[in-house]
């Protein structure tokens, strides 16, 4: 009797599995056709993973471009320098690192820059650029600028003449042409 009961249970389970297989297959097909579900979610995750990888690559390229631009900006900073110098040789408004001083001869000054400027163009004008307004009348006169001519040949053919390649020499004079110390502003533009 026991064997008959066991046999009846096995047969019932077998028949149940046979009849349930089409329902399981149908449910699986229905699941795959749904707009969501696990397969659709896996596809979305794969697409988003690809997009994230592309964005990371673009981000790295942008960071490289930013570094290149920062390097270019750093090279351009300091390319143009200026200094306003008082009649006594003291420096007023100026670019970072610029120093100046009056030479022992009336009307002669040396303005030193923080880099080699012997290939740069220098322009100067009589006057000052102070925060307070100048006391009228503003001095009038003549001004000339020059770099150290030996700076261009420094190191060439053994020349070690002590060239001052980071300085501009300025000479000021009255309107009568007499060497006179006058305040001035100097602008240096480099390539």
């Amino acid at each position: 009797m026991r064997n008959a009961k066991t046999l009846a249970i096995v047969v019932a389970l077998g028949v149940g599995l046979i009849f349930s297989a089409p329902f399981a297959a149908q449910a699986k097909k229905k699941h795959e056709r749904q707009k969501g579900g696990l397969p659709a979610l896996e596809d979305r995750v794969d697409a988003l993973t690809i997009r994230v990888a592309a964005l990371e690559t673009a981000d790295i390229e942008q960071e490289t471009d930013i570094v290149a631009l920062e390097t270019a900006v750093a090279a351009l900073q300091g390319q143009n320098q200026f200094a306003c110098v008082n009649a006594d040789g003291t420096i007023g408004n100026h670019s970072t690192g610029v120093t100046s001083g009056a030479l022992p001869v009336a009307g002669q000054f040396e303005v030193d820059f923080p880099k080699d400027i012997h290939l740069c163009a220098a322009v100067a004008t009589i006057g000052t650029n102070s925060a307070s307004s100048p006391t009228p009348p503003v001095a009038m006169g003549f001004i000339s600028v020059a770099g150290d001519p030996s700076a261009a040949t420094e190191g060439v053919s053994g020349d070690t003449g002590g060239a001052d390649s980071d300085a501009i020499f300025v000479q000021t004079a009255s309107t009568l042409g007499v060497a006179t110390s006058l305040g001035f502003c100097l602008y240096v533009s480099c390539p």
Side-chain angles (χ1 to χ4, degrees), residues 2 10 18 20 32 37 40 47 71 74 78 83 94 107 113 138 174 179-182:
R2 267 182 155 189
V10 169
I18 290 171
S20 68
E32 288 176 355
T71 302
H94 63 283
F113 293 87
V138 175
S174 70
T180 306
S181 295
L182 301 172

Side-chain angles (χ1 to χ4, degrees), residues 61-159:
E61 290 172 358
Q62 287 179 345
E63 287 177 10
T64 302
D65 291 345
I66 288 170
V67 169
L69 287 173
E70 287 173 344
T71 302
V73 166
L76 291 173
Q77 287 178 333
Q79 192 172 18
N80 298 320
Q81 306 242 336
F82 74 94
C84 290
V85 178
N86 299 313
D88 63 358
T90 59
I91 193 162
N93 296 335
H94 63 283
S95 299
T96 303
V98 179
T99 59
S100 73
L103 297 176
V105 178
Q108 292 186 2
F109 304 86
E110 179 179 342
V111 181
D112 291 306
F113 293 87
K115 67 177 195 169
D116 182 346
I117 57 166
H118 84 275
L119 295 177
C120 304
V123 178
T125 185
I126 299 293
T128 62
N129 186 16
S130 65
S132 60
S133 38
T135 306
V138 175
M140 294 177 47
F142 298 105
I143 190 167
S144 62
V145 296
D148 187 340
S150 62
T153 60
E154 179 71 10
V156 177
S157 302
D159 179 8

